[in-house]
Amino acid sequence: MSSPAPLVDQFARRITYLRLSVTDRCDLRCSYCMPEQMTFLPRKDVLSLEELYEMALGFIARGITKIRLTGGEPLVRRDMMELVRALGRKIGDTNGNGHLEELTITTNGTRLSEFADGLAEAGIKRVNVSLDTLDRETFTALSRRDSLPQVLNGLQAAKEAGLKVKLNVVALKGINEAEIPEIISWAHGQGFDATLIEVMPLGDVEEDRFDHYLPLVAVRESLEQRWTLTPSDHRSGGPARYFDVVGSTGQKTGGRIGLITPLTNNFCDGCNRIRVTATGQLYACLGGNEQVDLRAAMRSEDTEAALSDALDLAMRIKPERHNFIIDKPGGAPAVSRHMSMTGG
Ligand code: SAM
Ligand code: SF4
């Protein structure tokens, strides 16, 4: 039997990267991400561990080589480590259909001290940890939970477990703007890379995102007064563009800075990814509503064929680009779903 066709969309982009959300729940309430009184999905609608695993195998058979587990907060899902171990066994396994090269996770880090060893043992090599501030008061105000000490312990545990860490830092005017150079220096001192992200208009939150929207062009200019940023060839398979950082003494700080600019510089030409929510809704683009119901496929009689047909449909509807705008106060979100549904 010939292998199933790889996933290629109508703009000839080869899709090899799946972001799989395992839960929409979270133990933090970052104010740019979700409201304090967030309505979460009924548990019965969320895919079971077996369904997530089978679905992931279906993706791998169609040429997905990299899977990032995300959420909500993936490490709050009770059976999460079982999924990590099961998928970890598929890394480099060439016996089945397809070939998973990398399994990664994006986490807020609150539970990393408990799980870092297990993640490393399961074959995960790199983790993205979201950390927008090193100041406990700012952290508590921003995430509405006093969890900075747990996150710092988690980062330490990740380091000790041998995991390569990249910090995700959402750049926010008037909140962490002044602290960004310190966060980068601290990250590099710990051996972590750091990626700055522009806030995106996804889902309603209590605040107006316009108030804190900080274009990264401005951040880059201010960083260049302190350091020389030299474009790096490094690519992580995502939209970030990386820079090596050289200090005033002419020495590299040892780490890289990534810039993700969904608003100021659209990067859709090279998009290689699709996203699936914890209920099995495939979103062809983070910024669009083009959607395919994979849960229905997973619960149909001929799961394999139905999933493959659903993925073909996803390739036909994947849009060319997103179009995020935060240019005036009171602007509506680009889509109604929060980032915690589709993960990052
Ligand atoms: N809970 C995990 C975490 O925070 O790392 C994983 C899911 S979270 C939705 C993934 C990433 O999305 C985090 O780095 C977070 O800062 C970012 N994020 C959430 N809402 C965002 C928004 N509206 N604009 C830009 N980034 C956002
Ligand atoms: Fe939770 Fe991550 Fe959203 Fe913060 S950004 S509320 S940690 S899902």
Side-chain angles (χ1 to χ4, degrees), residues 217-333:
V217 215
V219 178
R220 184 175 164 182
E221 276 168 18
S222 104
L223 294 178
E224 282 178 327
Q225 295 180 0
R226 176 184 300 246
W227 294 306
T228 305
L229 304 188
T230 48
S232 150
D233 293 339
H234 178 76
R235 289 282 179 277
S236 60
R241 291 295 160 260
Y242 288 92
F243 298 84
D244 290 317
V245 182
V246 180
S248 50
T249 58
Q251 294 287 313
K252 275 191 189 178
T253 58
R256 277 183 289 257
I257 300 181
L259 301 181
I260 301 188
T261 52
L263 282 94
T264 52
N265 183 12
N266 189 295
F267 42 64
C268 303
D269 288 353
C271 185
N272 61 353
R273 65 192 54 195
I274 37 179
R275 301 162 191 269
V276 177
T277 69
T279 57
Q281 301 310 307
L282 180 154
Y283 282 98
C285 173
L286 179 63
N289 284 318
E290 297 78 6
Q291 178 184 358
V292 182
D293 182 4
L294 301 187
R295 186 177 56 186
M298 293 308 298
R299 294 181 182 174
S300 68
E301 292 216 334
D302 185 351
T303 308
E304 213 174 302
L307 181 62
S308 207
D309 287 350
L311 296 186
D312 287 335
L313 172 60
M315 291 305 98
R316 292 198 294 277
I317 62 170
K318 186 169 164 65
E320 189 171 12
R321 52 186 57 248
H322 68 248
N323 189 19
F324 292 141
I325 304 172
I326 302 186
D327 61 351
K328 56 178 185 310

Side-chain angles (χ1 to χ4, degrees), residues 104-317:
T104 56
I105 182 169
T106 302
T107 171
N108 63 26
T110 58
R111 299 190 176 195
L112 254 186
S113 55
E114 191 182 335
F115 294 115
D117 284 340
L119 294 173
E121 279 158 21
I124 287 188
K125 301 218 167 357
R126 304 190 296 150
V127 291
N128 282 4
V129 181
S130 304
L131 181 62
D132 303 320
T133 177
L134 291 167
D135 178 80
R136 189 164 176 174
E137 265 180 45
T138 311
F139 185 102
T140 306
L142 187 58
S143 70
R144 305 186 180 108
R145 303 290 184 270
D146 181 17
S147 303
L148 182 63
Q150 287 94 304
V151 176
L152 295 177
N153 287 342
L155 283 165
Q156 181 62 26
K159 203 158 100 167
E160 286 167 13
L163 294 168
K164 185 119 189 58
V165 175
K166 181 165 76 72
L167 293 189
N168 277 353
V169 185
V170 177
L172 297 161
K173 186 166 69 184
I175 296 182
N176 65 359
E177 183 177 1
E179 208 195 333
I180 288 174
E182 186 194 331
I183 299 172
I184 292 171
S185 295
W186 180 82
H188 289 178
Q190 299 289 320
F192 307 155
D193 285 340
T195 292
L196 305 177
I197 308 171
E198 285 172 341
V199 73
M200 292 178 273
L202 301 173
D204 273 321
V205 288
E206 277 110 345
E207 61 184 41
D208 187 341
R209 289 194 182 91
F210 179 79
D211 295 342
H212 301 297
Y213 168 55
L214 181 58
L216 289 186
V217 215
V219 178
R220 184 175 164 182
E221 276 168 18
S222 104
L223 294 178
E224 282 178 327
Q225 295 180 0
R226 176 184 300 246
W227 294 306
T228 305
L229 304 188
T230 48
S232 150
D233 293 339
H234 178 76
R235 289 282 179 277
S236 60
R241 291 295 160 260
Y242 288 92
F243 298 84
D244 290 317
V245 182
V246 180
S248 50
T249 58
Q251 294 287 313
K252 275 191 189 178
T253 58
R256 277 183 289 257
I257 300 181
L259 301 181
I260 301 188
T261 52
L263 282 94
T264 52
N265 183 12
N266 189 295
F267 42 64
C268 303
D269 288 353
C271 185
N272 61 353
R273 65 192 54 195
I274 37 179
R275 301 162 191 269
V276 177
T277 69
T279 57
Q281 301 310 307
L282 180 154
Y283 282 98
C285 173
L286 179 63
N289 284 318
E290 297 78 6
Q291 178 184 358
V292 182
D293 182 4
L294 301 187
R295 186 177 56 186
M298 293 308 298
R299 294 181 182 174
S300 68
E301 292 216 334
D302 185 351
T303 308
E304 213 174 302
L307 181 62
S308 207
D309 287 350
L311 296 186
D312 287 335
L313 172 60
M315 291 305 98
R316 292 198 294 277
I317 62 170

